[in-house]
Amino acid sequence: MSRPFLRARRLVVVATTVVAGLLGAPSAAGAHSYLVSSVPADGSAVNVAPTHLRLLFSESIESASTHIAIVGTDGRTHRTAGMRLLGGGVGGAGVSQVTVLDVALPPLAPDAYRVSWETVSSDDLHRTSGVLVFGVQREVRAAGLHEAAPVLTESGLRWLLFLAFATALGGSLLTRLYRPNDSPFADQAMGRSREIALAGSLTAVAVSIVLLAQQLTVSGESLHTLFGASYGTRWLVREAGLGLLVVTLLLQVRRTAARWLQVPLVLAAVVTAAGSALLGHAGAGRTPSPTRVGADALHLLAAATWAGTLLVAAAVVVPRLRSSGGEAVASRAALRRFLVPAGCCVATMVVTGLFLASSVVGSVDALLLTTYGRILLIKLGVVLAAGVLAVLNSASLHPSLGAALGLTRVSSGRQRFLVPEAAAAAVVLGLSALLSSGQPAREPQLVRYAADQVQPVVDGAAADLQETLSVRPNLPGTNVVVVGVFDTRRPSPGRVAAVDVTVAEQSGRTLHLTALGDSRWSAPLTLDSPGTAALRVVVHRPGLRDQAASYPWVVGGAASLTRPAIVSTAPLASTLRWAAMGLAVLLGLVALAGWRLRRRARPAVVPGVPQQQRRLVSH
């Protein structure tokens, strides 16, 4: 056991180092699209009927699949006069990038109005919806929190996909855990494991296609539109990984002795996991975070390998444990070899899970009061139960470990806890499928963000110009807007002669900025009210076409949307990231200490003495 044990120790150190490096990099919070805020705000009363409704979403949405219904107290529906999407930018409230949907409203008489909206996220094709209420010269009560529930059909298909992928990886690993010289029956178990792994990979390809068809049906998107966008590219990445996995496992079934097939097998698993991460919450946003995508891919690989090996072992190993002689001995030996890989997988799952939770759980209240948070808590409970069963299985396989833990009564024969542990692993995959198709618990009503997170500065590009825009103090009333305009081309095609700024739907007039020097321009700016707006910057250069860019903006000073705390509405992101980083470092130190102790315990090399005799002498 020494060589595989040492190799596994080294893998733990390397994996932990990689995870720690991932955690050290900054990450963007990508998630299932939800409504961050609106103008008019939910529950607000205005004296003058608005001509536009602005909905601020956390991520990109599909305008063609967006529907708005406005209903008055008399039950009459008011048709909108049109809608358009404004570009992304800083959104405040802990949201790094936003999309603003501008809805032109018909003339509205004094009344209370209920706005129902429904849209599709561009990043994951999830349909989301919500309700808000505002009044024109009427006091109204806010509609409050609205969480889109997971679609059970989609969740079920995702569960099947996870199970199939896990079976493919687990069957491949179990094949490596058996040794042909353990028993004449080992070859039969290895062959059966390869067949199950191949069946799992083929099932994963079929289910992924059915899942795509289901998503297209629910979202209303066309296949042509899908593959013309980034979602189609990310889907093809995952399918390429699954296709390579099928080919590799098919070759393994036919040519069992080909050791070089391990390389494409690992590559296929990594590509599939990376494609799945890009299709999920980690890949959401205009620029997916490599940190989160990498952590999500590691999390999926670890969970699938752990769960899949248990599931295949329940089908292949458990029946052989009931027999007597060499077949049972070889099967117990394979299970003992799984102890270290299982520990590596569980450690990776815990560290990456903590890190990923920092972007999908906003606060303790969000964890307790949302469907997503409650499912996550149930998943944690099932994982803990699986951990208890894993300890009992380990004690059954290693009597010395059982004695150290005070579990001497645990049977050392049939590993009766293996099937329950495999069932718990399957339930964990099912809960993961529900979470991946649900809306993360980050609603502003449940998370109290600091006021300074309404960012006063944004930057962006307009053709060859790089622009920075700041508004201070960024509150209703008199402010100062400063625009920096920097030409990125050398030589410059022309000097900047003038810069204008317009605040859409607020003051409505164009400001002519004054040059401050050092490529900066400024002017006084009056902001009418808090909430979302759009700042349009136009740069004039003699002999060149004007360059215009719009920046979604959040004006500070709005009343907090956060509900009164039941336990805590303080943001959890930093706490979870630090916990993940600390745990990664701790696991790395433990693995390194164990590796050094193992090296010291190795018997000394004596020339001319066989290895078996050296072991006997050392004991």
Side-chain angles (χ1 to χ4, degrees), residues 29 33-37 54-61 85-101 123 285-287 444 453 455 458 532-534 550-554:
S33 184
Y34 60 88
L35 185 68
V36 176
S37 62
R54 287 180 178 258
L55 304 177
L56 183 75
F57 291 96
S58 61
E59 299 294 347
S60 301
I61 61 172
L85 288 177
L86 304 180
V90 175
V95 181
S96 58
Q97 291 182 324
V98 298
T99 294
V100 178
L101 178 67
D123 298 309
R286 297 174 186 82
T287 54
Q453 287 192 332
Q455 300 289 342
V458 297
T532 57
S550 294
Y551 300 94
W553 195 263
V554 177

Side-chain angles (χ1 to χ4, degrees), residues 14 78 119 155 160 241 254 277-278 302 304 337 344 427 460 471 497 506 522 532 597:
V14 172
H78 300 263
T119 188
S155 299
L160 289 177
R254 294 184 175 182
L278 288 170
R337 296 186 186 105
C344 297
V427 173
V471 177
Q506 291 223 6
S522 178
T532 57
L597 289 174

Side-chain angles (χ1 to χ4, degrees), residues 174 178 185 189 192 196 310-324 327-329 331-332 335 413-415 418-419:
L174 189 59
Y178 270 98
F185 301 99
R192 180 60 176 160
I196 293 177
L310 288 173
L311 291 170
V312 179
V316 175
V317 177
V318 171
R320 288 169 170 79
L321 291 175
R322 299 189 179 100
S323 63
S324 59
E327 191 171 8
V329 172
S331 297
R332 281 195 293 272
L335 288 179
R414 297 184 177 181
Q415 283 69 54
L418 181 61
V419 173

Side-chain angles (χ1 to χ4, degrees), residues 35 100 124 130 207 215-216 221 288 297 306 315 347 362 475 496 565 570 583 585 590:
L35 185 68
V100 178
D124 52 20
V207 173
Q215 289 179 313
L216 289 173
E221 296 293 317
W306 165 71
L475 295 171
V496 177
L583 183 59
V585 173
V590 170

